């Protein structure tokens, strides 16, 4: 036998295998022990890996050939260094570990205990083989977290790459948050929330790990002017609304305050009486009044009850958060609407008005309110008088109070009426100046000529102001001798200067009739001679209608040509823009009317030619009666053809 074969046989000779007892797989322990020791786990693994027990015996030496050895050699056992474990035995081992103390399932929410706390982390014990570490940021909503507190955690991983147990408090809160939120909504439970930040219309609050919305109107019972003061604060809230579909939650802090205030309200409302004076704090200021907090109950001081003097805005009298005394003026049956007064705590200014003031006296005051119909003048603190627009000027035509005074002006006025009981006073400004109508007959006698200003016009005429308080009317027919005016605005404009003559004067009725055309000579006096009947003038067709033509003659005189008189000698008719000769057939000076004809010009010429021909025929000695008859017949035929 060769050396190599000898060595191979020696290697094949296996050492004696000791007898091993056959044991059944380890049954799962039902009783929990504090810790599973590492040695026991290894022992369980060895027992589970033993598929068959081998009795203690000596193995007889067996001689094999190299080929047989290689064919039966277990390469897997050689490479791995261990024997393969049956899959069923592995499952049996895992089943044995289930329920053993210290083993937890991933994604499971369990309670843990805070065992240590640092500036950045919180150490949590869940009774497992190791402790978990959670960032302190996940507990921002709970600044009072202390060692020993029990918190909910989610087992994220049993072991990470370093063998560390990974836990999350934030995820655990989210998983159970909706159950808690729904329960709080149903039961009305008060919950704690951490105000994270501001948002449009309110704040974002962390409640059980869910971002809830806190409307600005639900933060407090009084209006909030500084929202930032609540950011990063933990407050108590009540869940008031949940949208399950969109997972939206609305909370309120105001609801908690209102519950306490409601108790105070009942106590205060039960003691309210009209005329009672209470102390309150200005809660809100609006354009129409001031809301005052009476200690849980709000009342309104209307702007008219703030001061006896007229004010434009309540902020002129009071300020926010100002403490003041108010008197109860009225309230409804349920005492939910309380009307308060501030000015009623002081005596009425009319009671302090100087007793010496009487009708006819002149007073000074400040314009506080201005309207189209007049102005209110404050003659003393809280005492006002009205100056009607008709008492601002002696002028009779319609004007506005803004034309005379402005708000803030200091004016003098005469007391026209005074009623201390009704607390009313009427004033006048024009009374401080002499009435211009007193000597109107001397200044503006009939026939006198003056220059005035056009202030207004109507369809029938123009109002001209000669001086302040003296207005006259110029009828449309008295504006021009020659032009036919349809509306005064076609002739003059407001603000124009206009020469007028006084035509009529009514002192008692304060009426003045003026004329403008009377300030110039009447051209129709000259036109009467110029445009005599049968006189012929050249004119231009200005306009044309079914009834006839309007023709402009010399000196701007317009004449009317009826339709039957617009035919030319050649048979055609005159058109707009044509220039030709016209014969005056009618003239009326009173109505300034001229009627003309174009056809009559050549018709008259034809008649004249006929007369001339007749005379010529009669005087011709050699002319026979037959020839004359022939000439007349030809002339007649010509005229009929025209």
């Amino acid at each position: 036998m060769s050396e190599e074969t000898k060595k191979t046989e020696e290697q094949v000779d296996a050492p004696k295998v000791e007898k091993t007892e056959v044991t059944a797989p380890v049954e799962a322990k039902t009783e929990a022990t504090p810790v599973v020791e590492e040695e026991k786990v290894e022992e369980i693994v060895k027992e589970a890996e033993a598929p068959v027990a081998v009795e203690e015996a000596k193995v007889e030496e067996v001689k094999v050939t190299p080929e047989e050895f290689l064919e039966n050699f277990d390469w897997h056992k050689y490479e791995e260094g261990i024997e393969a474990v049956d899959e069923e035995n592995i499952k049996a081992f895992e089943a044995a570990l289930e329920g053993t103390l210290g083993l937890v399932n991933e994604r499971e929410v369990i309670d843990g205990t805070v065992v240590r706390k640092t500036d950045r982390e919180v150490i949590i014990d869940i009774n497992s083989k190791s402790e978990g570490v959670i960032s302190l940021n996940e507990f921002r909503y709970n600044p009072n977290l202390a060692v020993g507190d029990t918190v909910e955690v989610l087992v994220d991983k049993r072991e990470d790459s370093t063998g560390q147990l990974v836990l999350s408090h934030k995820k655990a809160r989210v998983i159970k948050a909706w159950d808690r939120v729904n329960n709080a909504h149903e039961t009305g439970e008060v919950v704690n929330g951490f105000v994270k930040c501001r948002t449009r219309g309110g704040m974002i609050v962390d409640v059980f790990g869910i971002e809830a919305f806190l409307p600005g109107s639900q933060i407090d019972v009084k209006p909030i002017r500084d929202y930032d003061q609540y950011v990063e604060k933990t407050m108590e809230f009540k869940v008031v609304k949940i949208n399950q579909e969109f997972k939206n939650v609305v909370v309120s802090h105001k609801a908690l305050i209102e519950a306490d205030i409601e108790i105070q309200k009942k106590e205060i409302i039960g003691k309210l009486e009209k005329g009672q004076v209470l102390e309150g704090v200005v809660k809100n200021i609006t354009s129409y009044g001031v809301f005052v907090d009476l200690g849980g109950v709000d009342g309104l001081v209307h702007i008219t009850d703030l001061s006896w003097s007229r004010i434009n805005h309540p902020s002129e009298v009071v300020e926010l958060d100002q403490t003041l005394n108010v008197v109860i003026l009225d309230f409804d049956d349920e005492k939910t609407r309380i009307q308060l007064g501030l000015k009623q705590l002081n005596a009425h200014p009319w009671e302090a008005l100087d007793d010496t003031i009487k009708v006819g006296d002149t007073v000074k005051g400040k314009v506080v309110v201005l309207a189209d119909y007049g102005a209110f003048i404050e003659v003393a603190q809280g005492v006002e008088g009205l100056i009607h627009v008709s008492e601002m000027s002696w002028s009779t035509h319609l004007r506005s109070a803004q034309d005379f005074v402005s708000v803030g002006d200091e004016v003098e006025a005469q007391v026209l009426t005074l009623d201390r009981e009704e607390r009313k006073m009427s004033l006048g400004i024009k009374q401080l100046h002499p009435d211009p109508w007193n000597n109107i007959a001397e200044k503006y006698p009939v026939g006198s000529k003056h220059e005035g200003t056009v202030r207004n016009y109507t369809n029938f005429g123009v109002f001209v102001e000669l001086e302040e308080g003296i207005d006259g009317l110029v009828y449309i027919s008295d504006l021009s001798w020659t032009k036919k005016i349809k509306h005064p605005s076609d002739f003059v404009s407001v603000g124009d200067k206009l020469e007028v003559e006084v035509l009529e004067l009514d002192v008692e009725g304060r009426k003045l009739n003026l004329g403008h055309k009377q300030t110039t000579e009447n051209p129709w006096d000259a036109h009467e001679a110029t445009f005599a009947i049968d006189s012929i003038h050249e004119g231009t067709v200005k306009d044309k209608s079914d009834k006839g033509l309007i023709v402009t003659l010399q000196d701007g005189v317009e004449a009317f040509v009826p339709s039957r008189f617009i035919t030319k000698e050649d048979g055609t008719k005159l058109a707009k823009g044509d220039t030709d000769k016209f014969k005056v057939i009618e003239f009326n000076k009173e109505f300034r009317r001229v009627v003309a004809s174009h056809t009559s010009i050549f018709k008259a010429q034809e008649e004249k030619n006929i007369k001339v021909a007749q005379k010529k025929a009669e005087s011709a000695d050699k002319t026979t009666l037959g020839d004359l008859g022939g000439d007349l017949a030809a002339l007649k035929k010509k005229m009929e053809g025209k």
Side-chain angles (χ1 to χ4, degrees):
M1 187 180 292
S2 64
E3 288 289 315
E4 294 180 0
T5 303
K6 224 178 204 181
K7 291 179 181 178
T8 304
E9 289 179 352
E10 291 176 357
Q11 293 174 358
V12 174
D13 290 340
K16 292 181 179 180
V17 179
E18 295 182 356
K19 182 179 178 181
T20 307
E21 296 181 359
V22 179
T23 60
V26 179
E27 295 181 358
K29 297 181 180 180
T30 56
E31 297 180 1
T33 56
V35 180
V36 180
E37 297 180 359
E38 186 175 352
E39 294 81 356
K40 291 185 179 181
V41 175
E42 292 178 355
E43 182 180 351
I44 294 171
V45 173
K46 289 179 180 179
E47 291 176 355
E49 288 178 346
V52 180
V54 182
E55 295 183 358
E56 185 177 358
K58 291 184 179 180
V59 180
E60 296 181 356
E61 294 183 2
V62 180
K63 293 182 180 181
V64 294
T65 63
E67 291 77 7
E68 291 177 340
F69 169 77
L70 293 173
E71 185 178 354
N72 297 323
F73 187 74
D74 189 347
W75 290 99
H76 177 75
K77 181 178 178 181
Y78 175 76
E79 291 175 355
E80 298 295 333
I82 59 172
E83 295 184 0
V85 181
D86 186 69
E87 186 69 24
E88 294 182 359
N89 291 332
I90 294 176
K91 291 181 179 179
F93 169 69
E94 291 179 349
L97 292 178
E98 289 183 4
T100 304
L101 183 64
L103 291 181
V104 292
N105 295 323
E106 291 186 357
R107 317 307 302 171
E108 181 181 358
V109 177
I110 61 176
D111 289 337
T113 304
V114 178
V115 295
R116 194 163 67 255
K117 180 181 175 184
T118 67
D119 293 339
R120 299 175 60 185
E121 298 172 333
V122 178
I123 313 302
I124 306 295
D125 179 16
I126 61 170
N127 210 14
S128 183
K129 67 177 183 178
S130 61
E131 297 170 339
V133 180
I134 300 177
S135 173
L136 188 60
N137 286 335
E138 295 192 22
F139 296 93
R140 291 178 63 190
Y141 74 95
N142 185 9
N144 298 322
L145 183 69
V147 174
D149 289 352
T150 300
V151 295
E152 292 178 340
V153 294
L154 172 73
V155 181
D156 224 348
K157 290 182 181 180
R158 290 180 181 174
E159 293 184 357
D160 59 7
S161 59
T162 62
Q164 177 67 48
L165 176 65
V166 180
L167 304 176
S168 174
H169 175 63
K170 182 178 180 181
K171 293 179 180 179
R173 292 182 71 217
V174 171
I175 291 174
K176 291 197 174 182
W178 277 105
D179 293 336
R180 292 183 177 180
V181 167
N182 284 301
N183 182 64
H185 184 229
E186 294 173 1
T187 62
E189 177 188 354
V190 178
V191 298
N192 286 332
F194 178 76
V195 182
K196 297 178 65 176
C197 62
R198 284 190 60 180
T199 187
R200 184 177 181 181
M203 318 284 286
I204 298 299
V205 180
D206 184 338
V207 179
F208 301 140
I210 294 176
E211 288 190 348
F213 177 60
L214 172 63
S217 61
Q218 295 298 315
I219 297 177
D220 204 337
V221 290
K222 59 184 179 181
I224 303 300
R225 294 186 288 274
D226 182 16
Y227 284 79
D228 293 332
Q229 63 179 314
Y230 296 96
V231 177
E232 295 189 352
K233 284 188 177 181
T234 300
M235 302 170 59
E236 291 184 337
F237 299 99
K238 189 174 182 180
V239 180
V240 294
K241 186 177 180 181
I242 295 179
N243 188 319
Q244 300 290 350
E245 181 179 357
F246 297 101
K247 299 297 182 184
N248 291 336
V249 179
V250 180
V251 296
S252 171
H253 180 68
K254 177 182 177 181
L256 301 177
I257 301 175
E258 287 178 336
D260 296 334
I261 291 178
E262 195 64 29
I263 299 174
Q264 300 176 12
K265 262 188 179 181
K266 292 180 180 179
E267 295 179 358
I268 296 173
I269 288 176
K271 301 177 182 177
L272 291 181
E273 294 179 3
K274 292 183 181 179
Q276 184 179 8
V277 178
L278 299 175
E279 184 179 79
V281 178
V282 177
K283 178 180 178 181
N284 191 20
I285 299 177
T286 66
S287 59
Y288 56 86
V290 176
F291 287 94
V292 178
D293 183 1
L294 302 176
V297 179
D298 290 346
L300 173 65
V301 182
H302 196 268
I303 187 172
T304 56
D305 291 317
L306 283 171
S307 173
W308 291 113
S309 301
R310 195 182 296 268
I311 58 175
N312 296 318
H313 195 273
S315 58
E316 298 175 15
V317 180
V318 297
E319 299 177 352
L320 281 173
D321 300 325
Q322 180 181 349
T323 301
L324 44 78
N325 291 328
V326 290
V327 61
I328 298 177
L329 302 179
D330 199 2
F331 47 76
D332 58 12
D333 294 337
E334 298 178 357
K335 298 182 180 179
T336 55
R337 294 184 180 180
I338 305 172
Q339 182 181 348
L340 305 175
L342 182 63
K343 70 180 184 181
Q344 288 78 5
L345 296 176
N346 301 316
H348 199 287
W350 273 86
E351 298 175 3
L353 184 64
D354 190 351
D355 295 335
T356 61
I357 295 179
K358 59 185 184 300
V359 174
D361 288 351
T362 300
V363 294
K364 291 183 179 181
K366 181 179 180 181
V367 179
V368 290
V369 176
L370 197 60
D372 290 338
Y373 59 85
F376 287 92
I377 311 300
E378 188 176 51
V379 298
Q381 183 71 25
V383 178
E384 296 177 2
L386 172 64
I387 303 178
H388 194 270
V389 65
S390 61
E391 304 298 338
M392 292 183 175
S393 170
W394 290 109
S395 178
T396 55
H397 71 268
L398 184 63
R399 296 175 73 177
S400 175
Q402 286 88 339
D403 297 333
F404 300 97
V405 294
S406 301
V407 174
D409 288 353
E410 295 285 345
V411 297
E412 280 189 346
Q414 187 179 95
V415 179
L416 304 181
T417 63
L418 179 62
D419 189 340
R420 293 180 181 271
E421 292 183 1
E422 294 293 330
R423 294 171 178 172
K424 292 182 180 179
M425 179 190 300
S426 62
L427 307 172
I429 296 178
K430 70 181 185 181
Q431 288 77 9
L432 300 179
H433 308 282
D435 187 353
W437 282 85
N438 290 338
N439 57 351
I440 186 73
E442 298 176 4
K443 293 180 67 176
Y444 302 101
V446 175
S448 61
K449 294 181 174 59
H450 310 275
E451 183 181 69
T453 304
V454 177
R455 292 300 184 192
N456 192 16
Y457 43 66
T458 64
N459 292 332
F460 55 83
V462 179
F463 287 98
V464 178
E465 184 181 60
L466 300 180
E467 65 173 85
E468 182 69 28
I470 304 296
D471 293 339
L473 174 64
V474 180
Y475 283 99
I476 194 171
S477 58
D478 291 322
L479 287 174
S480 175
W481 290 111
T482 57
K483 294 182 179 179
K484 293 183 178 180
I485 303 169
K486 295 181 179 179
H487 192 273
S489 60
D490 298 333
F491 187 79
V492 292
S493 299
V494 174
D496 288 353
K497 297 293 184 180
L498 192 67
E499 293 288 337
V500 294
E501 180 180 320
V502 179
L503 304 181
E504 295 180 11
L505 177 61
D506 182 1
V507 178
E508 293 183 0
R510 290 178 177 258
K511 292 182 180 179
L512 196 61
N513 188 15
L514 307 174
H516 170 65
K517 70 181 183 181
Q518 288 79 4
T519 59
T520 60
E521 293 184 3
N522 188 352
W524 287 90
D525 293 337
H527 294 339
E528 188 174 14
T530 303
F531 298 100
I533 293 177
D534 292 335
S535 62
I536 297 174
H537 308 273
E538 187 176 84
T540 303
V541 179
K542 178 182 178 182
D543 200 3
K544 183 177 182 181
S545 65
D546 294 338
K547 294 182 179 180
L549 306 176
I550 300 296
V551 179
T552 303
L553 305 177
Q554 66 191 65
D555 298 330
V557 176
E558 293 182 352
F560 174 68
V561 180
S563 297
R564 65 180 184 274
F565 297 131
I566 65 175
T567 305
K568 296 182 181 180
E569 189 174 2
D570 59 2
T572 61
K573 295 185 178 182
L574 289 169
K576 184 177 181 179
D578 290 350
T579 299
D580 216 320
K581 291 186 177 181
F582 298 88
K583 177 191 257 187
V584 178
I585 59 176
E586 182 183 340
F587 180 86
N588 190 315
K589 177 183 176 182
E590 182 180 357
F591 295 101
R592 302 190 297 279
R593 176 180 172 86
V594 177
V595 180
S597 170
H598 172 69
T599 305
S600 300
I601 294 177
F602 62 83
K603 285 284 186 182
Q605 185 64 39
E606 290 175 354
E607 291 177 357
K608 184 178 180 181
N609 292 339
I610 291 174
K611 291 179 180 179
V612 170
Q614 289 176 343
K615 290 181 179 180
K616 194 175 181 180
E618 292 175 356
S619 61
D621 295 335
K622 297 181 179 181
T623 303
T624 63
L625 184 60
D627 294 335
L628 182 61
D631 293 340
L632 291 173
L635 181 61
K636 182 179 180 181
K637 185 177 181 181
K638 181 179 178 183
M639 291 180 66
E640 290 176 351
K642 295 295 182 181

